[in-house]
Amino acid sequence: MKRADRDAAFTAYVMARETQFRRLAFVLCGDWHRAEDLLQTAYTKLYVAWPRIQRAAAEDAYMRRILVRTNIDDSRRFWNRERPTSRHPERPMPSPDLEQAQVVLSALQRLPDMQRKAVTLRHWCDLSIAETAEALGIAEGTVKVHSNRGLNRLRELLSVDEHDHENDKELT
Amino acid sequence: MTDLDLKQALAPLFDDEPIPTPAARRVEIGYPALRRRRTTGVAVVAAAVITGGAAIGLGSLPRGTESGGFTIRPTGKASPTVTADVTTPPASPLADALPAISLAPADATDLTERCLNSPDVTEEVKGSFFGQEGAATITAGMKTPTVTQATYSSADGTMWATCELLRGAADADLQIYTTKRDESGGLWPSLDPRCPTDTTCVKLLQLRSQLPEKVAAVRVEHRATGKGVTVRTNHGWFVAIADTPRAAADEYGAYDVEYYDAKGTTLAYIHGEIWSADPGDDSDLDGIEAYPGLDFKPEYRLGYVS
């Protein structure tokens, strides 16, 4: 494949999928800057493997696989135990919807790695169990376990956050 | 919570998302990575020819320099480290090989106990693997300053598992696989970014799997420093971990993997690269089926078990 052909096909693909995969990266890692790094890593790997991946018509699956697996390992870094926040103290007060969305995103980031990936792929990307299993490299039964546990844990975390929020309001 | 809840709840986060990087810029960044891989691959093929002539042509190299990021030198070739000094026979590459199980008994016991208490695996799966008596056999294992890792075989041989414990971590990470399904591939290289908090932080180049019986030993080596380890296999099972120097986030990890028979003859040789920022991605290194000289059989591919 000539470079010009390769670049044209790759560019068209990136333009078509940019929003979708950038948002997935963001939901997976909870931070736009890290999401951008993650996405660039994935795109670079996709570019290197482009002829093989394109021949197999497996671009989307390959991208998802890189994104979730890179994020899985990246999120294990020790420094990452400190949870960054996207809120700046001088920013205007967020709307209630945005504030609630940040609470949900924060709770999602607190799930164990595989639970977060399984919940995101299944319940945010709407992937099937088989597709989720392929992306994560695990068996379908394991996807069900991680997904169910992740949802249950997410409910617990949101319930605690809501309770804390109500207590804060009473104190003020 | 339903699917709709999660999607609706997160939707406001995308109202003011940052401006995306232009697609053309993605290509600009990707091209040097492709060029580096091609350059590296060509260099290694040339080296293989110089050290004795390749038994197969470029056309039969699985996933050649175009996309695979690695090259393979097939059976029957001398190690590339062998010199031309005919008066002093080269030392066998197996001379310093660690046994397949080099864990001290106390370390093995500790690791197994932590595996049994792993929080991310269901009791049913643990029970079916370890049984009531914890009856699983360690088939290979080693310990480095950074990590302790072992492979296990279930009592009935239908499952195998890897368990690893990072230094300072409370929980071990247990992954159980079936030996019957064909999902994950037989070779799982990983250049792991997990680091201790001190300044001696290293990355782990690790491989664990079961290989054909004719593979008596495996060597993994970080090319830049020559640091590596040679381990013997136990009926094909092996764990090989090399602590390698820390790399920048966007660097490649360049490594060599060599497979020996019982006489120390190289059966196959891989020159590979793994993104330091993208560990655990087995797409860069083909499974054992890619080794022309190892008589790959489908049963060597091992899969997850739920």
Side-chain angles (χ1 to χ4, degrees):
Chain A
M1 178 181 282
K2 293 179 180 177
R3 184 187 170 186
D5 296 337
R6 180 195 193 109
D7 289 358
F10 182 82
T11 301
Y13 177 79
V14 170
M15 291 176 68
R17 294 289 195 275
E18 175 79 12
T19 299
Q20 172 189 340
F21 285 125
R22 205 159 64 110
R23 290 181 177 182
L24 172 58
F26 173 72
V27 173
L28 287 171
C29 69
D31 176 86
W32 282 114
H33 295 295
R34 289 184 62 213
E36 179 64 26
D37 291 344
L38 177 60
L39 190 59
Q40 184 57 60
T41 297
Y43 275 137
T44 304
K45 288 187 71 67
L46 178 66
Y47 183 78
V48 171
W50 181 255
R52 172 167 55 90
I53 300 301
Q54 196 183 32
R55 273 197 300 273
E59 301 96 327
D60 287 356
Y62 187 77
M63 276 295 290
R64 279 196 298 268
R65 187 176 168 205
I66 298 173
L67 285 172
V68 294
R69 295 193 180 187
T70 300
N71 189 253
I72 283 170
D73 292 282
D74 192 49
S75 63
R76 286 177 178 171
R77 291 173 193 265
F78 276 61
W79 52 260
N80 194 46
R81 303 283 167 81
E82 297 176 14
R83 296 293 179 192
T85 175
S86 59
R87 295 189 199 179
H88 190 282
E90 295 177 2
R91 291 183 70 174
M93 285 290 289
S95 68
D97 284 349
L98 180 57
E99 192 171 28
Q100 179 58 27
Q102 287 169 335
V103 168
V104 174
L105 182 67
S106 174
L108 195 59
Q109 302 309 307
R110 287 155 65 189
L111 297 180
D113 286 339
M114 290 300 280
Q115 290 182 14
R116 185 172 75 254
K117 306 300 178 289
V119 167
T120 300
L121 293 177
R122 286 280 294 131
H123 301 284
W124 189 78
C125 294
D126 286 335
L127 295 190
S128 68
I129 290 176
E131 289 170 329
T132 303
E134 194 279 334
L136 293 172
I138 60 179
E140 294 182 12
T142 311
V143 170
K144 294 176 186 173
V145 170
H146 285 309
S147 179
N148 289 337
R149 286 185 176 185
L151 281 180
N152 289 336
R153 180 65 181 146
L154 196 57
R155 287 193 195 98
E156 291 173 8
L157 291 169
L158 292 173
S159 173
V160 170
D161 282 342
E162 188 176 357
H163 183 259
D164 290 346
H165 187 61
E166 287 174 0
N167 283 347
D168 289 344
K169 283 202 294 189
E170 286 177 9
L171 290 172
T172 55
Chain B
M1 173 171 290
T2 66
D3 300 4
L4 191 60
D5 288 336
L6 186 59
K7 292 165 84 171
Q8 284 187 332
L10 295 178
L13 295 169
F14 306 118
D15 289 343
D16 61 345
E17 61 186 288
I19 299 170
T21 301
R25 178 63 183 148
R26 304 283 191 202
V27 177
E28 288 176 19
I29 296 172
Y31 189 67
L34 175 64
R35 192 171 52 203
R36 263 185 299 180
R37 289 197 168 201
R38 282 176 166 164
T39 304
T40 306
V42 168
V44 173
V45 171
V49 172
I50 290 169
T51 55
I56 59 176
L58 274 176
S60 60
L61 281 171
R63 286 200 221 159
T65 56
E66 169 68 18
S67 61
F70 67 93
T71 54
I72 294 173
R73 199 186 62 182
T75 59
K77 298 296 171 289
S79 163
T81 59
V82 172
T83 70
D85 181 357
V86 294
T87 59
T88 305
S92 167
L94 307 188
D96 298 325
L98 294 172
I101 305 171
S102 56
L103 290 173
D107 290 327
T109 300
D110 179 59
L111 182 66
T112 303
E113 286 179 356
R114 289 175 190 263
C115 289
L116 285 167
N117 293 320
S118 175
D120 286 334
V121 180
T122 63
E123 291 301 317
E124 293 88 338
V125 169
K126 278 190 285 196
S128 64
F129 188 82
F130 288 99
Q132 295 298 320
E133 306 299 325
T137 304
I138 290 184
T139 51
M142 69 175 292
K143 181 179 184 179
T144 76
T146 312
V147 67
T148 305
Q149 187 176 123
T151 57
Y152 295 80
S153 178
S154 63
D156 61 4
T158 60
M159 290 182 281
W160 71 288
T162 65
C163 186
E164 70 170 13
L165 178 66
L166 289 175
R167 186 181 71 189
D171 296 324
D173 182 16
L174 176 67
Q175 300 286 345
I176 298 178
Y177 308 82
T178 170
T179 54
K180 292 182 179 177
R181 294 171 64 176
D182 182 5
E183 290 182 4
S184 70
L187 191 63
W188 188 346
S190 173
L191 191 63
D192 200 314
R194 288 170 289 179
C195 299
T197 53
D198 60 43
T199 56
T200 60
C201 175
V202 294
K203 292 177 181 299
L204 311 172
L205 172 58
Q206 54 187 359
L207 297 98
R208 67 270 192 181
S209 188
Q210 185 182 31
L211 297 170
E213 289 267 0
K214 67 192 294 185
V215 181
V218 179
R219 177 165 181 81
V220 295
E221 183 175 301
H222 181 249
R223 189 176 316 119
T225 61
K227 292 184 66 174
V229 64
T230 306
V231 297
R232 292 183 182 274
T233 64
N234 173 21
H235 297 291
W237 292 105
F238 77 100
V239 171
I241 305 169
D243 287 349
T244 62
R246 188 174 193 167
D250 59 349
E251 284 184 359
Y252 285 98
Y255 61 89
D256 296 310
V257 182
E258 197 146 4
Y259 300 88
Y260 306 107
D261 67 11
K263 295 179 180 177
T265 303
T266 301
L267 294 168
Y269 173 82
I270 282 185
H271 166 109
E273 293 175 333
I274 303 178
W275 284 77
S276 61
D278 190 14
D281 182 357
D282 54 357
S283 64
D284 278 349
L285 187 60
D286 272 1
I288 197 66
E289 74 275 18
Y291 294 71
L294 290 187
D295 301 329
F296 171 75
K297 295 175 183 175
E299 57 264 35
Y300 295 127
R301 293 182 69 89
L302 306 167
Y304 270 90
V305 63
S306 58

